[in-house]
Amino acid sequence: MSDKITKKDAFLTKENIDLIVQQIKEFCELHKEKYKTSYIKGKYVKDALIKTIRHYNSFLKEFNFILETVDFYRTYAWFGYFLALEFPYYQTRFKIVRTAIFRIIKELEEKKGIVFTDVTKIEIIKFLQYELEGKGELGVGKNGLYLLGRIVSTLD
């Protein structure tokens, strides 16, 4: 038997899973505070969490590097997107996606001092709404939202 650690094993440590769970709890609390609602719980969160971790694993299989730590932007973008898809109503989906966008933008503003105009925020929301409505040619999905945060986070 080989002692070689797989990409999946290198990522799926207890610390990383705990960090993802912590970020998701923060997401749910933020959404609850923002929209004064409590429908984000139980099965919806669990299913979106499973899909997020599976997407992390698919990402690791597809790309040729080892991801040893949790990426804030991936977690928020992917979890927000998968959670939105758990709900049949577009307004609920849009609110969930807005929470993800809000948190990613807040992180960028606090960590990088980057300020997004209201017009830019609205454009990002619209791109994600189009994606959720099945208009992919006009939209940007979970990976596009992740890339937005990731690329901007690398700017000096």
Side-chain angles (χ1 to χ4, degrees), residues 28-45 83 87 92 95-96:
C28 294
E29 284 300 314
L30 179 63
H31 186 82
K32 183 178 178 180
E33 289 173 22
K34 187 172 176 66
Y35 292 105
K36 309 293 183 232
T37 186
S38 61
Y39 54 79
I40 295 184
K41 57 186 173 188
K43 183 180 178 338
Y44 301 121
V45 172
L83 183 61
F87 293 89
T92 304
K95 286 178 182 177
I96 292 168

Side-chain angles (χ1 to χ4, degrees), residues 23 38 41 49 76 80 86 99 103 106 113 125:
Q23 289 175 337
S38 61
K41 57 186 173 188
L49 171 60
Y76 276 82
E86 291 294 315
T99 300
R103 185 61 184 95
K106 180 180 174 193
I125 290 168

Side-chain angles (χ1 to χ4, degrees), residues 2 10 33 39 47 51 78 90-91 108-109 128 153:
S2 173
E33 289 173 22
Y39 54 79
D47 289 350
K51 289 174 184 171
W78 294 348
Y90 286 118
Q91 287 306 314
L108 291 168
E109 289 176 342
L128 281 162
S153 75

Side-chain angles (χ1 to χ4, degrees), residues 111-128:
K111 299 280 186 223
K112 291 296 200 174
I114 296 169
V115 178
F116 288 79
T117 66
D118 288 341
V119 171
T120 300
K121 291 175 189 177
I122 290 168
E123 283 180 320
I124 296 167
I125 290 168
K126 276 304 234 189
F127 285 140
L128 281 162

